[in-house]
Each structure stands twice: as C-alpha cells, then as structure tokens.
Amino acid sequence: MPNDLAIRIEELSITYKVSLEAKRTLKNAVMRASLKQKERTRTIEAVKSLTLDVPHGSVLGIVGSNGAGKSTLMRCIAGILSPTEGRVIVNGKISTLLALGVGFNPALSGRDNIILGGLASGLNMDEISDKTDEIAEFAALPDGFIDLPVRTYSSGMYGRLSFAVAVSMTPDILLLDEALSAGDAAFKEKSFERMRQLCAEARTILIVSHALATVTDLCDTAIWMHKGSLVAKGKPEEIVDGYLKFLNVGSLPSSYEDM
Amino acid sequence: MAWDGTLTPMPVNEDFVPKIQVFEPHRASLPPLIPYLKEFWTRRSFALELARFTDKAEYLDSRLGKIWLVLNPLLLGFVYYLVVTIIRPGGKDPGLTRLDHLLIGLFTFYFAQNCVTAGASSITAGGRLILNQAFPRALLPFSSAIQSFQQFLPTIPVYIFVLVVGKWAYPTTIVPGWTWNFLWIPFILICTGLTGFGLALVFATLNVYFRDTNKLLTYITRIWMYLSPVLWLPNTLRGSMKILLYINPLGPVLDATSRVWVSGESLNKLSFYGSIFWALASIMIGGYFFISRERDFAIRI
Ligand SMILES: Nc1ncnc2c1ncn2[C@@H]1O[C@H](COP(=O)(O)OP(=O)(O)OP(=O)(O)O)[C@@H](O)[C@H]1O
Ligand SMILES: [Mg+2]
C-alpha cells in the first residue's frame, strides 16, 4: 500500500444474514431441527464491491440515503465488522464515533465512562487520567452532570460527551457517524472548530452526515453511496448537488447508472 | 458559550506511528493468536476497571447490596446444611465440620458459577461497546471473572468467622491449624477462575446465537451444583460412581477445596491433575469457540 494512503478499500462487500424468525432461541432451533425445517433468513448486501482510496490528511464526507450502507462501511473500517469479500487496509490509529455514541454504560457517571471508553480504545490508565479533565472540560456539560450517571443525560449532552471522547484520542483516523447532529449551535461551532484543527494537523477524517452543509463545509472530498455501491466521488459541492437532485427526482442520474 | 480554546494544542501529526491493519474475510477459523493475545494483554486494565465500575454501578445505591453478596450464600449454606442433616442426621463428621465443608464448597462453587453466568451475558449486555469499538471481545467475560473473584474474596473472612464460632460452640469440630498446605489455595482459586472463565466463553458465544441460553443456564447451574461435591462429601462416592467427580469440570477443584480448607490436607494426584486438566480444557475449548466466532458478534447483537 502506498505510504500516503490512510485507508485503502478493495472490492469490499459486506452482507448481513438476517434471521426472519421472531426470536432466535435454542428452543426454536431445536423445534425447527425436529421438524426438519430450515431457518428462514434473508441476505442483505449492505456494501457491494466498493473500491476507495483515502489519502492521509483528507477529510472525506459520505452521503447517501437511509440504508445506503454508510454505517456498515464505517464499522468495517474500524475493524468492528469483518468484510464478506474484499479487503480493507488501514494505516494509523483509529478513533470512532459511530451512530450510537461511545460504549457508554448508562449506570455509570460520565467521568467513569470516559475512563472506560479510553481504556477500551487502547489507552493506558496514565494517558486516560491525564485526558479525563480535558474531555470533561471540552464537553462542558452543565451543572456537574459529568459526575452523574449517563442515563440522566439529554441526548445532546450524550452527543457532546461522545464527541469529546472521540476527538480527544488524538487519532490518526477519525470516523464520525452522525456525530454532530445532537449538539446545540454553540457546541456545533466548537466541534467544527475542533475538527478543522484536526484537519490542519493532517489527520484523516471520515464524516457521515445527513446535514449536507457539514459535508460541504468541512470536507475536501465526498462520496455518495446508494444501496451499498459507490455512485460518485468528487468535490463535496458537486456530490451534494447530485445527491440533492437525486433526492428530488428519485432516480439516479443516467450518467451514474452504469457505475 | 464559545469555546475558549482550552484544549492543549497538538503538534502537527508527528505522533503518527504507521500501524497497518488489514481486515479481510475470516476464512481461517481463528484470527492470528499472538496479536490477539497481545491486544488482550495491553487492554487488561480495561477489564479490571470495567469490573470495578460494574461492581460500583450495581451496588451504588445499596450498602446492603454488598452485604447481601456475602449474606446470600451464607444463608443458603445454612439452609442446605439443615436439609442435609435432616436427610442424613448425625453422620460421622464431628461437630460442624460438615457445615464448614458445605460453606467453603458453596462459596467456591458460586465463584465459578458467577464467572459463568455473568460472563455468559457480558457480550449481549455489552451492546454499544461491541458495536462501536474494536477490541478483543474476550475482555468482557474476563472482566466478569474478575468481578466474580472480587465478590468471592469477602466470603473468606466469613468462612473463617463461622469456623471459629463453630469450634467454640462445638469443640469437636475439626479445624486445621496453620499448615503449608494452605499454599494450595491460590492454585485452587486460579484453576476455579480459569475453568469458570473458559465455560463463560462457551456460554457467552451461545448466548449471542440463542438468546434463551441464559435461562437454560440457570437450570444447568442448579443441576451442576447438586452433582458437585458441595452438599455431599467427595469420599461418599464409591467405586464407579467416583467418575462423577472427574467428569465434572468443577469436581476436582471442589474436592481439592474440601481437602485443603477443611482438612488442611494436601491435594491428591487426581484432584491436582484433574484441576489442571479442566482449567486448560475449558480455556482451550472456550477460547477456540469464542475467538473463532467473535468477529460475528457485532452483526448479531
Ligand atoms: N445489524 C444489522 N443486521 C442486519 N442488517 C443490518 C444491520 N445493520 C444494518 N443492516 C442493513 O444494512 C443496510 C445498510 O445499513 P447501514 O446502517 O449501513 O445504512 P446507513 O447508510 O448507515 O443508513 P442511515 O443513513 O439510516 O444511518 C440496511 O439495509 C440495513 O437494513
Ligand atoms: Mg447509519
């Protein structure tokens, strides 16, 4: 892999096999086996032979309608899902902020969760205790909420904390999936600021967002995914334009059809 | 409120350390084990802290909760003792020796049982963590094992307390004085923990595929306890029945527990090798079962 690439994706396909049974239980499995039935399943191709190179220091926006496979792609780059076919090569330390937020345990305080999240992502205890205050400060939760259980948080507070954790890991590659949607205007400004700073430090950022302005504002390249395939790649403005047209018209532009 | 730039400015990405990771379809049934174990080892403090925090979260609002952890097996121990002495009154065990055997057996059994049941649900309960972060998944059941051990520890002074009070009330109770054989105790606990952790790996994996595994597990552990030398003494088994003690993953360690804790004896060969065998077998079988499937967990949760 060339040295200037942060991520190389080769002919990547990811399929989910979904059970159509109401509940996957041992009991049902035994019943099925005794009746010689097969489990009813459906295969969903979430990503279809996608090829993409992401150079170091680029900020890539990913747009596409619901179910296009954006989150699936992000999970695969993070090493959480493994490919069904193809290959993903990643060069650098990854930090993820995926749709569900960092793995927060709702019964624990924000501070405890920061520590756990940091340790899970591979920091050691010294590194994370240095960072905890910094993260808490950046998230700027009101009224000492940082020491209350996460279950008492509003979704925006939750989002703030997740974002603060993800950007504090000084990642080489930062994956953000719908990360900026929950914060209020003030926090959005602050997080944009922080992301620009990360961009300036030549870190690689992948942003999935339905807020298309985020993509045009922050990204230097964008891709558009549709039903698991890459439809187009190019300048954010052009991609967003094409995507908006598609949303209004409802069909893929003919020039994209064979891609 | 505008951000005043208090975050420490970071240098231009000079801390970039090339770290190439390749993600490919997992045709091979096991991922490369050495990197896996290395990752596991570097994140061991995650398992430790998770155990500590989970404990804290569970018992945050009740001091009583923590006491209950000790009280519960203790009271159960007394109940079982009553039942057992009613079924077989007298016996040839002097004083409260049999109660002591029952208690330490029960405490040790619960240690293993907690490893298994808590570990079994650790993956399905760890939803967000699993979906959003890549790390060796075995850390979650491992953390449950650590937590179970931490819950086991306070039962030791309780056991000693009962022992001393029992000796005072019934002077015929056998209480071993200090002997070097007590040095077997760490060995027994390590084997118990490893066996529990290994089995937890099996059930945690099953639980991802079949969500009623946990329910099944409550029956399994109950039957398992009756088949273990907790309510009965290992030496009551005669002839071919003795095999019961060795086909049970916890049989040898519980036999050893009784020998060392209650009688102050050393292990015999069978309980020594049996303990080692089951610890290794559980870890290897459980580890293979779990690690070869853990890359599927994220899509099945
Ligand atoms: N855990 C899962 N099990 C089965 N199928 C899944 C799972 N997660 C996603 N899918 C399917 O994979 C496809 C892609 O989903 P994905 O979440 O990647 O879409 P997305 O582009 O992130 O959509 P959104 O914009 O709504 O977040 C969808 O058809 C979805 O139904
Ligand atoms: Mg998504």
Side-chain angles (χ1 to χ4, degrees), chain B residues 35-111:
Chain B
Y36 185 94
L37 293 178
K38 245 189 211 155
E39 283 277 292
F40 188 94
W41 180 245
T42 53
R43 296 185 194 198
R44 65 193 182 279
S45 54
F46 165 65
L48 269 168
E49 292 301 310
L50 184 63
R52 201 162 66 82
F53 284 140
T54 318
D55 211 50
K56 189 166 128 192
E58 272 169 27
Y59 303 104
L60 204 57
D61 30 50
S62 64
R63 288 270 138 201
L64 214 64
K66 272 236 128 95
I67 299 175
W68 189 243
L69 272 180
V70 178
L71 219 53
N72 184 34
L74 186 66
L75 291 178
L76 263 178
F78 285 128
V79 171
Y80 283 132
Y81 180 66
L82 282 181
V83 173
V84 172
T85 40
I86 287 169
I87 295 176
R88 246 194 52 183
K92 46 185 178 334
D93 311 300
L96 290 180
T97 311
R98 206 146 125 205
L99 176 69
D100 297 336
H101 159 80
L102 199 155
L103 277 184
I104 195 62
L106 204 60
F107 292 164
T108 309
F109 182 85
Y110 274 157
F111 167 35

Side-chain angles (χ1 to χ4, degrees), chain A residues 24 26-27 75 81-82 86-88 90-92 96 98 101 112 120 134 138 158 170 190 194 201, chain B residues 3 6-8 10 13 16 19-21 23-26 43 53 56 128 131-132 211-212 299-300:
Chain A
R24 306 178 62 105
L26 207 56
K27 196 179 102 201
R75 292 224 162 87
L81 293 180
S82 48
R87 197 148 72 128
V88 176
V90 173
N91 186 2
T96 49
L98 303 181
D112 292 351
E134 198 176 293
F138 185 79
Y158 190 88
T170 57
K190 189 162 143 185
R194 180 77 176 108
E201 288 160 11
Chain B
W3 177 39
T6 40
L7 256 157
T8 32
M10 278 174 296
N13 198 1
F16 178 75
K19 181 189 174 208
I20 302 222
Q21 283 173 288
F23 305 120
E24 284 181 310
H26 51 276
R43 296 185 194 198
F53 284 140
K56 189 166 128 192
R128 285 203 166 156
L131 279 177
N132 288 332
R211 292 308 165 88
D212 54 349
I299 58 171
R300 286 182 182 271

Side-chain angles (χ1 to χ4, degrees), chain A residues 16 18 44 46 64-73 177-178 210, chain B residues 298-299 301:
Chain A
Y16 290 104
V18 189
I44 297 174
S65 24
N66 295 131
K70 306 180 295 292
S71 302
T72 306
L73 178 66
D177 189 348
E178 314 277 359
H210 289 293
Chain B
I299 58 171
I301 265 185

Side-chain angles (χ1 to χ4, degrees), chain A residues 166-187:
Chain A
V167 293
S168 72
M169 300 298 168
T170 57
D172 301 312
I173 301 168
L174 178 61
L175 307 176
L176 300 172
D177 189 348
E178 314 277 359
L180 304 170
S181 48
D184 54 27
F187 190 74

